[in-house]
Amino acid sequence: MRPSGRNFDALRNVRIETGFSHHAEGSALIRMGGTEVLCTASVEGKVPGFMRGQGEGWVTAEYGMLPRATHSRGEREAARGKQSGRTQEIQRLIGRSLRAVVDRKLMGEITVTLDCDVLNADGGTRCASITGAYVALALAFRKLRAANVLKADPLTAQVAAVSCGIFKGVPVLDLDYAEDSAADADANFILTNHGGIVEIQATAEKATFDDAAFAALLGLARAGTAELFAAQLAALEMK
């Protein structure tokens, strides 16, 4: 039995609320069980210096956790004057994941920054960030098209992410903190709705795993992201 009482192939409850941030070009508050992340998309009419004159846009991301997103207060990284290695790794992952489904030539020379702020953390914050950031990005592109800034939608596919792991010898979907902290192995799968793999991060924590176990995890991830793709579309249709 999983600590949450879920079946091995069950996602936590997923809710995506759009328009949460009043000023951003696109925003989505995603809730996956006890994990809550606010994702906002901000548009600037310029690109980084290394991209000027190429006629392409840029999509990037920043990630952070509120001090009491976890069980005990964490120090603000701004107060320390630098980001942790974990924060930098996660925000680069989010940016790569979103750029994988964007035709940047259709953007022109604009930049979209996705800010992913973790309000409450109960495992899977990077996965929730990617899934919610896609919705915020889609809304920002929709707004730019309505304003005739963009002639076509730069999005080429949906992208979502989910964690899987081996808990007490059993492959399970969508780890919460209790499972993640005790898992034999865990993995994050970033997939597209066209069946593409953007990135897989897999680690043996307490025991190695074989090809069969990895195939089981991938199968769970594909089923889980199919549900997340549906949740993304439902949120965008509501908006």
Side-chain angles (χ1 to χ4, degrees):
M1 178 65 70
R2 303 177 70 175
S4 63
R6 288 179 286 144
N7 289 333
F8 75 96
D9 59 351
L11 286 175
R12 292 173 288 179
N13 291 331
V14 179
R15 291 173 291 169
I16 304 176
E17 177 184 346
T18 60
F20 191 85
S21 179
H22 298 170
H23 304 292
E25 281 76 16
S27 68
L29 176 64
I30 182 169
R31 297 181 173 94
M32 295 187 68
T35 290
E36 299 178 314
V37 184
L38 175 59
C39 306
T40 57
S42 300
V43 178
E44 295 179 278
K46 60 181 181 180
V47 292
F50 70 91
M51 293 192 61
R52 290 174 188 163
Q54 299 180 29
E56 294 186 359
W58 186 243
V59 177
T60 188
E62 294 190 10
Y63 168 94
M65 297 180 67
L66 293 185
R68 278 315 300 266
T70 54
H71 296 92
S72 58
R73 185 183 187 277
E75 186 180 11
R76 292 184 188 273
E77 292 185 330
R80 292 202 307 263
K82 65 177 182 179
Q83 293 179 315
S84 68
R86 176 183 180 274
T87 293
Q88 294 180 54
E89 185 266 326
I90 290 176
Q91 63 190 26
R92 288 169 183 161
L93 172 66
I94 298 168
R96 289 195 304 272
S97 300
L98 295 171
R99 288 193 296 273
V101 295
V102 174
D103 184 343
R104 293 188 286 117
K105 293 180 180 179
L106 295 179
M107 292 176 61
E109 293 199 355
I110 64 171
T111 295
V112 183
T113 301
L114 283 305
D115 287 293
C116 299
D117 294 293
V118 179
L119 310 182
N120 288 294
D122 186 25
T125 60
R126 71 186 66 195
C127 293
S129 295
I130 292 167
T131 303
Y134 169 82
V135 175
L137 180 61
L139 291 171
F141 283 153
R142 182 183 294 179
K143 186 170 185 177
L144 293 175
R145 289 185 68 192
N148 293 318
V149 175
L150 298 179
K151 295 182 179 179
D153 189 353
L155 287 171
T156 60
Q158 290 175 253
V159 65
V162 71
S163 64
C164 298
I166 300 175
F167 180 71
K168 295 184 177 180
V170 179
V172 296
L173 174 66
D174 193 13
L175 304 176
D176 55 26
Y177 178 77
E179 292 173 326
D180 188 34
S181 60
D184 298 328
D186 59 33
N188 299 304
F189 293 85
I190 300 93
L191 308 174
T192 75
N193 65 319
H194 295 162
I197 296 173
V198 176
E199 191 159 335
I200 298 173
Q201 301 175 325
T203 306
E205 300 288 354
K206 296 181 179 179
T208 60
F209 54 97
D210 57 19
D211 290 359
F214 178 77
L217 295 176
L218 178 57
L220 288 171
R222 290 204 180 279
T225 51
E227 294 185 49
L228 295 175
F229 295 139
Q232 288 173 334
L233 290 179
L236 290 169
E237 290 173 0
M238 288 173 58
K239 183 61 178 179

